[in-house]
Amino acid sequence: MLTDIKSMTLEELENFIVKNGFPKFRAKQIHGWLVKSVTNFDEMRNIPADLRNFLKTSCYISVATIEKKQVSRYDKTVKYLFSFADGECVEAVLMSYKHGYSICISTQIGCKMGCTFCATGKSGFSRNLVPSEMLSQIESAQKDMNIRISNIVLMGMGEPLDNFDNVVKFIRLVSSDDNLNIGMRHITLSTCGIVPKIYELANLKLRITLSVSLHAPNDEIRRRTMPIAKKYPMDELLQACRDYFKITGRRVTFEYSMISGVNDSNDAARELARKLDGMSCHVNLIPVNTVEGTGYKKSDINRQKAFINILADKNIMATVRRTLGSDIDAACGQLRRKHLKEGGK
């Protein structure tokens, strides 16, 4: 088993180097090259040959290789299909805003959660990503586009809280001033609602934004679309969100995919407003993506406006998320499904 060197903190790398008989200062040199996104040890020009040879036989550098790339004709959103050393693939989406570039990355290959409106779960679950594979998605996009990414959204393939330890280590690595130095306030983690892990995350008091995929005003609708709701009822989930704010002081965002005829009625809006009354939160309304095999259709513009007006009347802050990359199926999971059908891993 080779050691995943890019998933190490600088301190861990120092201990590893010293333990194997090399001077401690070499760790900082190696770490500097890793942050520059080198893809092999021979690129580390100021590292002596004996150390480079040791690294080549004992470690590996995780790389996210671009298998496919799609660029929207409308808004220049870029969708990537990345592959790793074992041939498994994930998706990431790069978005351009006035404030800079944001990237939505994956945390797992596939997903176990089985939400009925999501393309990712329809391809099954393969494995968790390690921290270096999450970092590599960002590095590959930055290198490909010759840009600096300033915001990260953990909302691609997979459920981040189902890969808790790797995701937390990734957040600590990517936000470190000796790594990519993307501040935690610029990182959003999205979850379908694994309640115990929300409390575990809250107690770490990271300065990230928690985004909860709610998608329904009550348990009856939520259980039809999100199997996780059968394990964690909505009241229990919302209490965890209230407690998250109390512990961290960070406002929670609720994601609400608007599905025509399912969860977008005026009654649904009023019920949602009652459930969220008094919470420090923001509701992100999302016209549901068209995913083959679901039969779901997005709510029309009038329905979206009516829904948001009802929430506003009840003092619930809400916005309709701007749709980006509509011509390239920018919602994660769809490009990988096509790749699998074509014979990819």
Side-chain angles (χ1 to χ4, degrees):
M1 290 285 292
L2 297 177
T3 298
D4 177 12
I5 194 169
K6 202 156 73 176
S7 286
M8 292 184 185
T9 64
L10 178 56
E11 183 180 2
E12 289 170 338
L13 183 55
E14 287 173 343
N15 292 336
F16 176 76
I17 290 298
V18 170
K19 184 180 74 173
N20 285 283
F22 296 97
K24 181 179 177 180
F25 77 91
R26 293 295 183 190
K28 196 164 187 178
Q29 293 176 321
I30 295 166
H31 189 266
W33 286 110
L34 294 173
V35 173
K36 291 178 182 176
S37 305
V38 299
T39 58
N40 66 75
F41 295 108
D42 286 328
E43 294 180 65
M44 300 181 177
R45 294 185 295 274
N46 61 345
I47 304 300
D50 60 336
L51 177 51
R52 275 188 278 119
N53 288 333
F54 164 74
L55 293 173
K56 283 189 277 188
T57 57
S58 61
C59 303
Y60 73 94
I61 301 174
S62 180
V63 177
T65 302
I66 300 173
E67 291 291 332
K68 293 184 179 179
K69 175 183 175 182
Q70 298 176 335
V71 182
S72 171
R73 293 168 294 170
Y74 305 134
D75 51 44
K76 305 304 180 184
T77 296
V78 182
K79 186 166 188 176
Y80 292 102
L81 182 71
F82 291 124
S83 66
F84 298 112
D86 62 355
E88 292 283 8
C89 293
V90 298
E91 295 176 34
V93 179
L94 180 69
M95 298 156 285
S96 177
Y97 296 98
K98 290 180 180 179
H99 60 261
Y101 287 93
S102 294
I103 190 167
C104 179
I105 67 167
S106 296
T107 56
Q108 295 179 312
I109 296 170
C111 186
K112 305 172 189 174
M113 299 298 114
C115 299
T116 60
F117 47 80
C118 178
T120 297
K122 295 183 181 301
S123 301
F125 173 81
S126 295
R127 65 173 176 84
N128 287 326
L129 295 187
V130 294
S132 62
E133 291 172 322
M134 297 176 222
L135 283 169
S136 295
Q137 294 171 65
I138 301 168
E139 292 170 346
S140 290
Q142 287 191 147
K143 189 173 184 179
D144 177 58
M145 298 293 290
N146 192 27
I147 57 166
R148 171 169 166 74
I149 290 168
S150 55
N151 292 272
I152 303 168
V153 184
L154 304 177
M155 202 181 287
M157 292 169 52
E159 162 55 57
L161 295 188
D162 188 45
N163 187 16
F164 190 88
D165 291 341
N166 284 323
V167 165
V168 168
K169 187 164 191 184
F170 159 75
I171 291 170
R172 295 193 188 281
L173 283 171
V174 77
S175 61
S176 172
D177 58 8
D178 59 22
N179 205 293
L180 294 187
N181 195 24
I182 299 174
M184 288 191 190
R185 293 181 184 275
H186 298 277
I187 300 173
T188 297
L189 183 152
S190 177
T191 177
C192 67
I194 304 177
V195 169
K197 292 298 182 181
I198 290 175
Y199 281 104
E200 195 172 339
L201 183 68
N203 289 328
L204 293 177
K205 296 184 179 179
L206 304 176
R207 297 181 304 280
I208 64 172
T209 296
L210 178 67
S211 181
V212 176
S213 296
L214 202 57
H215 305 314
N218 56 51
D219 280 323
E220 181 188 355
I221 296 174
R222 199 164 191 267
R223 286 170 183 157
R224 294 205 311 260
T225 55
M226 302 181 70
I228 192 72
K230 297 172 184 175
K231 188 169 185 178
Y232 303 112
M234 195 165 171
D235 287 346
E236 187 178 339
L237 173 60
L238 293 179
Q239 186 58 52
C241 293
R242 291 185 180 93
D243 292 339
Y244 184 89
F245 174 73
K246 289 178 185 176
I247 294 168
T248 67
R250 302 285 294 168
R251 184 182 70 170
V252 175
T253 296
F254 291 108
E255 305 289 333
Y256 195 101
S257 288
M258 297 194 68
I259 308 171
S260 180
V262 176
N263 65 353
D264 64 345
S265 68
N266 289 350
D267 285 343
R270 284 189 281 266
E271 187 174 7
L272 179 64
R274 288 195 297 272
K275 291 282 178 68
L276 302 184
D277 184 45
M279 289 187 68
S280 180
C281 66
H282 180 269
V283 179
N284 216 345
L285 298 176
I286 311 161
V288 74
N289 294 296
T290 301
V291 176
E292 183 183 346
T294 65
Y296 292 147
K297 295 181 180 179
K298 66 181 179 181
S299 306
D300 64 35
I301 190 67
N302 292 327
R303 203 70 310 274
Q304 295 172 35
K305 289 179 178 177
F307 201 96
I308 203 169
N309 287 338
I310 290 170
L311 293 181
D313 287 344
K314 302 297 183 180
N315 297 314
I316 304 295
M317 293 182 62
T319 52
V320 177
R321 180 191 287 174
R322 177 182 164 206
T323 301
L324 296 176
S326 58
D327 58 323
I328 57 170
D329 293 332
C332 279
Q334 300 182 76
L335 187 56
R336 179 173 177 258
R337 285 188 76 196
K338 291 177 183 176
H339 180 68
L340 291 172
K341 286 180 180 179
E342 292 167 1
K345 190 167 181 179

